[in-house]
Structures are given as structure tokens and as C-alpha cells.
Amino acid sequence: MTDPALQEPADRVGRGWTAALSLANGAIWVGWYGPLQILLARQAEHIAPGTGLSKESLLAWVTGVGAFVSLAANPLFGAVSDRTTSRFGRRTPWIVAGTAGGALSLLLLGGADSVALLTGGWCLVQLTLNAAFAAVTAAVPDRVPRLQRGAVGGWLGAAQILGVVVGTGLATVTGGVRAGYAACALFTVVGIAPYVLRYADLRLPAEARPAWSWRRFLGGFRLAPRTYPDLAWAWLTRFLINLGNALVLLYLFYYLRDRLDYADPDSGVLILTAVNGVTLLATVVVGGVWSDRVGRRKPFVLWSGVLMAVATGMLAGWQTWPGAIVAAAVLGVGFGVFTSVDFALMTDVLPKALDRGKDLGIINIANSLPQVAAPALAAPLVNQLGGYRVLYLVAAAVGLTGSLLVTRIKSIP
């Protein structure tokens, strides 16, 4: 374990490296959230008549199946990148291949005019962009020392929310579904270029790669809570808080139009996303840096989760346009701190340097699985069990439970 690719990093990374990796991360989120926030909802509304499905159910089906693909793709490509011995490094080949495939998939998705094409196109987007995302996130424990990970996680989080805002903006202002997908595809490709062109990746020598075994490879895709309990508790915390957030975002377009009677839900989603992004950006880097300086992670995750639950409860109890704006702002404050500090916490509990990509892929399932669970929960809550008020009360309870579970982690202060 003396090879640099498998050592615990000690040298601090520079601002240029952090900025380039953050831009690459944000570009991937543009490719995801332009469709998720606006474009898929528009297509579902257009395709649903004649299918026997409501627009809500069709959107839930498409996003749920795509998220299921993401569940498998992220840890799979993370594990494959762990074993990659290319002269370009372990992670860079998969960032390039995943981004190129994602851009082509977005262009294909722009022409989808049936349930099958919409579902298949979104699954391809999830498959390919998850290959790139798994490699980008694994670069952090590869290169960043522990006491800098909160700050780097903050910049990655800032790029993530900017990616959501940019993706939503491109989907809104480009003048149509096809143009929106094309703009997101182009931005995704351009955004990863500075990192892959300017910064060399760490190479894994062929002799450092363990002998191939299907049993060992497939057996590694499990959480092993008895062996690594802190990793399991950290995973569950992230899953529940992200599930609460996914329940908030999934039907935001329909909530504005059908519950608040907002005249232009496209613009409404963009405004709320921008408000959320401003407050998130105000806290995401500060929270990560503060966590690095005090050497603690759990209190930041706990109280940010509580704040997010309060904001979600506002959407249930204050169902007006001003209430939605205030909730978006408060949610951004909480999610900003959570995004940076939870990322640092996750990298701190990784068991083995050789399996960083695979383990982070398993951790990232806690980001993807809520996209599967949220539609399954949200559709009946909205259609049969009380509507949007009940939906957001359930979302608040789920997120609050996740924030409390972080206290079960023992190895991280």
C-alpha cells in the first residue's frame, strides 16, 4: 500500500484543482437537473394523455426507473475505476467516457415522444452520468487530506447547487424541450474539460491491482453494518435526509401550478431554485470550512437536518407563494451546511483506500435511492392520502429522523 494512489493524502490541494473539480461536478448536475426540474415534467405532461397514466404517475415512473439504474451504476463504475490502470489514471477515463455518453443520451432524450423512449433515454442519462460522477467524487479522498475535505466538500456543494440552477435556467430559457436538452448536454461537456485537460490523475500500477475474483468483486457491494457500523449509520443519515429533500422537489412544478395556482410554474420553479441556491451558497463553503477548523462533523449534520425539516414543514403549513419563497431560503441554509459537512464525514469513514470509488458509490446510493423511494411514496400521498400538505409533513418527519441518527456514529466527533 505504498503506491501514491493508495496512500492517505497529506499535501493540500490548490485552488485551481478544487475549482476545476467543482466545475466538473457542477456540469454533471446540470445534465441531471435540467431534465429533473423542468424538461421531464413537460414531456410527461405531453405524453401522458392516452397512456392511462396521470402526468404525476408517469413522471414518478420515469424518474423511479432511472434512479434504479443509478443505484447500480454508481457503485459499479466506482469499483471499476478503483481497478483501472490506464496511463491517464484511475478516474479521468471514466469522467471523460461518462460525460460523452451523458451528452449523447441527453440529445436522444430530447426527441422522446413515448413512454418507452422517455424511460429509456432517462435511464441512459443516469447510467452514463453516474459513471462520471462516481469518478469525480472518488478524486476527493484520493487527493484531499482529511482536514481540508470540509472546505473542498463545500466548493463541490456550491458547484452542485449552481449546476441545479444552471440546468433549470437552461431548461427554462432556451425555448423548447429539444433546445433545453441540447444546452444541458453542451454545458456538461464543456464543464468537465478544464479538470481532465489540466490536471493529471494518480495512476494505479498494474501490479498494485488485486487479482480478479468475481466472488470478491460482487461481494464488495454491501454495506456490512456489523463490520463498519459508522459507515452504515452515515449512509442511513444521508439517505433519510436526501429522501426528505427528494419528496420536496419531485412535485414542485405541480405544487406551484395545482396547489398554489401559480400562473407560470416554469418560472416559479426557477425562482425558488434560485432563492434556494443563494442561501445554500451562503452557507455551503462556510459550513465546510468551519467544520474543518473545529474538527467536528456530527453537530453540523444534526442541526442542518433539523433546519431542513422546519423548512419542509413550512410548505405544509404555509401554502402560499411567499411561504414557498421563505421555505426555499431556509431549506437552502440547512442543505448548504449538510452538503459540505456530510460529504467530509462520509470520506472520513471510508474503510479502505483500494476501494474508495466503490465505497463512495455505495454511499452515493443514498443520493440515488431516494429518487426511487420518493415517487413510490409521493404519488399515493398526493393522490389518495391527503395531498401536498401530507406529503410535506411526511418529508419533514423523514428528514428529521435522518438528522438524529448521525449521533450514532462513534468514530467521528
Side-chain angles (χ1 to χ4, degrees):
M1 298 290 285
T2 59
D3 188 86
L6 302 179
Q7 291 177 351
E8 184 68 26
D11 297 332
R12 294 176 65 88
V13 295
R15 294 178 181 177
W17 186 92
T18 302
L21 187 73
S22 298
L23 178 59
N25 184 57
I28 294 169
W29 284 81
V30 168
W32 274 325
Y33 272 83
L36 277 172
Q37 293 282 73
I38 299 291
L39 300 173
L40 288 174
R42 286 181 180 172
Q43 289 173 294
E45 188 171 24
H46 175 72
I47 294 170
T51 66
L53 297 171
S54 68
K55 60 184 183 298
E56 294 90 351
S57 296
L58 177 55
L59 181 61
W61 165 259
V62 171
T63 56
V65 173
F68 185 78
V69 172
S70 179
L71 293 180
N74 202 286
L76 174 63
F77 284 110
V80 172
S81 73
D82 284 336
R83 300 180 57 86
T84 297
T85 57
S86 163
R87 64 188 182 93
F88 297 107
R90 302 164 81 191
R91 316 301 181 189
T92 294
W94 297 103
I95 296 174
V96 173
T99 302
L104 292 174
S105 300
L106 287 167
L107 294 175
L108 175 66
L109 185 58
D113 57 0
S114 68
V115 174
L117 287 176
L118 190 65
T119 305
W122 182 239
C123 287
L124 284 175
V125 171
Q126 288 282 35
L127 178 71
T128 51
L129 289 185
N130 267 286
F133 184 64
V136 165
T137 54
V140 175
D142 283 350
R143 304 297 291 269
V144 182
R146 289 179 182 270
L147 291 180
Q148 198 184 4
R149 288 178 186 171
V152 172
W155 288 112
L156 289 176
Q160 172 182 321
I161 193 58
L162 285 174
V164 173
V165 172
V166 171
T168 305
L170 290 174
T172 302
V173 305
T174 47
V177 169
R178 285 181 180 271
Y181 278 113
C184 290
L186 178 61
F187 192 99
T188 302
V189 171
V190 172
I192 65 103
Y195 180 76
V196 300
L197 294 177
R198 292 188 60 189
Y199 296 98
D201 195 7
L202 294 175
R203 294 181 58 186
L204 180 71
E207 60 271 17
R209 181 173 62 184
W212 175 256
S213 164
W214 276 110
R215 182 176 181 180
R216 182 184 181 279
F217 183 77
L218 295 177
F221 293 102
R222 60 189 181 93
L223 205 55
R226 291 185 178 181
T227 307
Y228 306 112
D230 283 353
L231 181 63
W233 286 118
W235 187 95
L236 188 57
T237 293
R238 172 177 280 198
F239 167 73
L240 290 175
I241 291 179
N242 279 318
L243 176 58
N245 196 52
L247 289 169
V248 171
L249 294 178
L250 180 64
Y251 288 156
L252 186 58
F253 179 89
Y254 301 139
Y255 172 74
L256 293 179
R257 192 187 66 184
D258 300 339
R259 186 68 183 88
L260 301 189
D261 295 321
Y262 194 78
D264 186 357
D266 280 0
S267 297
V269 170
L270 180 59
I271 292 169
L272 293 181
T273 303
V275 170
N276 179 267
V278 168
T279 55
L280 192 154
L281 289 172
T283 58
V284 65
V285 177
V286 172
V289 172
W290 190 7
S291 174
D292 284 343
R293 288 182 177 176
V294 301
R296 303 189 70 187
R297 310 291 191 201
K298 290 192 295 186
F300 291 89
V301 173
L302 172 62
W303 289 108
S304 63
V306 170
L307 190 60
M308 292 168 65
V310 170
T312 304
M314 290 181 185
L315 292 173
W318 189 8
Q319 295 191 342
T320 65
W321 174 243
I325 292 177
V326 173
V330 176
L331 190 66
V333 173
F335 198 64
V337 175
F338 171 78
T339 297
S340 58
V341 180
D342 181 69
F343 181 79
L345 184 150
M346 287 293 185
T347 60
D348 287 347
V349 298
L350 293 177
K352 300 177 182 179
L354 183 62
D355 296 324
R356 286 170 182 150
K358 181 263 295 179
D359 289 336
L360 274 175
I362 293 173
I363 288 170
N364 284 331
I365 290 176
N367 298 331
S368 308
L369 188 57
Q371 296 179 46
V372 176
L377 288 172
L381 287 173
V382 171
N383 293 326
Q384 286 94 30
L385 299 177
Y388 289 104
R389 191 180 304 278
V390 172
L391 172 68
Y392 291 129
L393 286 174
V394 169
V398 168
L400 181 61
T401 301
S403 67
L404 295 174
L405 290 180
V406 76
T407 60
R408 302 298 300 270
I409 299 172
K410 303 302 183 184
S411 64
I412 304 297

